[in-house]
Amino acid sequence: MEEKKEGENVLNIDHEFADQIPPLTEEEYRQLETNILQDGEVINPIIVWNGTIVDGHNRYRILQEHPEVPYKTFEKKFSDRNEVVAWICKNQLGRRNLTPAQKKYLIGKQYGAEKNSHGGERGTKHNGETGEFTASSENQNLRSGKKTCEKIARENHVGKDYVIHAKKYADGVDAAERAVPGIRQEIFSGKICPVESAVKAVAEAPPEEQEERAKKLRDPEVQRRGKPRARPEEGEILKKVAADMEATVPKRKVSETSMLETLRGVVATMIRGADKCFELFPTLLTEQVYRVQVIEIMQEPKNYISNLETGGEHE
């Protein structure tokens, strides 16, 4: 471990590595700065690879504002850039409070980096200096049927399909960021919440169409916040429910109190329906691959309630 003093803040920043780090809020950043100044040093070492920061970008940024503060670096060995990216993602997944979008992105990036580092899961590793492919440590995993996506799924307590879809999602986020700089943070912060299929579609589009598709991620039509847009068949059902309500509740007796009771019944019906699903198919909750999707589905009523609490509109 090497100690650095004033005037020695000369570490390199690689934007690909830095982009994998979920950004701190302004409040979190200032609290970190306060802690460093109170301690009089950076307690946790900045991890580097060949003089480039791997972990500690926020601490290093603070050091640029306070060059008098001493700090230490720890040189970590990696075989290539893919291994660095995979390590960063795994490290962040293990110690940060993440939004669902950030978690999915990091899992997808880890999967892509580990696949590339292991020769696309073909059991080989590429030597960047010699240009040769040699047997990688993943061979043993492949022989025992444990592929990279399954390993990452176990590490993050998700299903294998989730990992595969996360890779496509991450590719979409990166493509959107290249086309419209800044949109990745809009997604991570929750400022916009585009449906996953729209995000994936950005990377799948021809290069000349990616900017247009990326900008559409800000369109309310593809947002997941609040009440989802009803599909045609849902619209017919809602019309029938409204007609039945009008037929069974005379207008002269309708009041806010009676409608609150109706609303209470609607919510109770939803809960009973969900409980019945779980009773008939308990694996929806016990198997992680299904549980993740259940939670994703339940985000819609959760977001609906959040909008009510914050005064959002539901049209």
Side-chain angles (χ1 to χ4, degrees):
M1 194 175 299
E2 183 180 0
E3 184 172 356
K4 299 285 186 180
K5 297 179 181 178
E6 185 173 355
E8 296 181 338
N9 299 348
V10 290
L11 299 179
N12 299 317
I13 296 176
D14 185 295
H15 291 292
E16 182 185 7
F17 298 165
D19 286 345
Q20 313 310 315
I21 311 294
L24 298 177
T25 64
E26 184 65 24
E27 182 180 355
E28 290 171 335
Y29 180 84
R30 291 306 169 193
Q31 184 60 57
L32 177 61
E33 181 181 36
T34 299
N35 293 343
I36 289 174
L37 294 179
Q38 288 178 345
D39 294 334
E41 63 177 327
V42 178
I43 295 177
N44 295 320
I46 295 176
I47 297 176
V48 299
W49 175 58
N50 296 334
T52 299
I53 298 175
V54 172
D55 182 68
H57 292 85
N58 290 302
R59 280 167 279 160
Y60 187 67
R61 177 183 164 194
I62 290 170
L63 287 167
Q64 305 314 295
E65 301 174 16
H66 305 279
E68 74 282 0
V69 177
Y71 68 100
K72 295 181 176 65
T73 62
F74 178 81
E75 180 75 27
K76 192 168 179 63
K77 296 186 181 302
F78 297 99
S79 61
D80 56 28
R81 292 178 60 84
N82 286 309
E83 192 174 333
V84 176
V85 172
W87 185 90
I88 292 173
C89 293
K90 188 173 181 178
N91 189 47
Q92 294 299 313
L93 284 163
R95 75 181 199 184
R96 295 288 298 266
N97 292 325
L98 303 168
T99 66
Q102 289 172 331
K103 179 180 178 180
K104 178 166 286 188
Y105 176 82
L106 287 171
I107 289 175
K109 294 294 289 187
Q110 181 187 352
Y111 177 39
E114 290 197 15
K115 276 183 62 178
N116 291 335
S117 185
H118 294 295
E121 286 196 46
R122 291 187 293 274
T124 58
K125 184 189 298 185
H126 181 255
N127 186 315
E129 295 181 359
T130 66
E132 296 178 348
F133 283 90
T134 57
S136 75
S137 59
E138 189 75 2
N139 277 346
Q140 182 178 359
N141 286 342
L142 286 172
R143 286 196 294 270
S144 62
K146 298 177 180 178
K147 295 184 178 180
T148 302
C149 59
E150 295 171 338
K151 178 182 74 68
I152 294 175
R154 287 194 304 275
E155 290 174 354
N156 294 283
H157 308 291
V158 297
K160 181 179 71 172
D161 289 343
Y162 179 97
V163 176
I164 294 172
H165 287 297
K167 168 65 168 59
K168 296 178 181 178
Y169 177 81
D171 289 344
V173 172
D174 284 345
E177 177 67 16
R178 288 192 296 270
V180 183
I183 200 168
R184 175 168 47 204
Q185 181 53 23
E186 292 181 38
I187 296 172
F188 286 171
S189 67
K191 181 179 180 180
I192 61 173
C193 301
V195 294
E196 185 174 319
S197 59
V199 176
K200 293 177 182 177
V202 179
E204 295 167 355
E208 63 273 14
E209 297 179 12
Q210 289 185 351
E211 181 177 357
E212 180 182 358
R213 293 208 181 193
K215 289 179 178 179
K216 283 186 177 179
L217 297 181
R218 295 169 172 156
D219 194 323
E221 294 288 332
V222 297
Q223 299 303 301
R224 299 186 58 179
R225 288 181 293 187
K227 185 177 180 180
R229 290 179 60 83
R231 294 188 293 270
E233 62 272 21
E234 292 175 331
E236 293 304 316
I237 292 172
L238 292 174
K239 288 179 183 179
K240 185 177 185 305
V241 170
D244 290 345
M245 289 177 65
E246 287 190 10
T248 56
V249 183
K251 290 185 178 180
R252 65 178 181 276
K253 295 183 180 180
V254 174
S255 66
E256 286 81 358
T257 300
S258 64
M259 289 309 299
L260 285 173
E261 288 304 311
T262 300
L263 181 60
R264 194 183 304 277
V266 169
V267 173
T269 299
M270 186 200 78
I271 294 173
R272 286 197 300 271
D275 287 341
K276 190 64 176 179
C277 291
F278 302 144
E279 178 185 338
L280 294 173
F281 294 91
T283 53
L284 290 176
L285 295 179
T286 59
E287 294 190 14
Q288 189 65 20
V289 63
Y290 299 124
R291 185 179 180 86
V292 168
Q293 295 178 66
V294 167
I295 293 174
E296 186 175 351
I297 291 170
M298 289 300 184
Q299 290 300 315
E300 293 185 354
K302 179 180 178 181
N303 290 337
Y304 189 90
I305 292 170
S306 296
N307 269 5
L308 286 176
E309 291 175 335
T310 58
E313 295 183 357
H314 298 267
E315 296 180 352

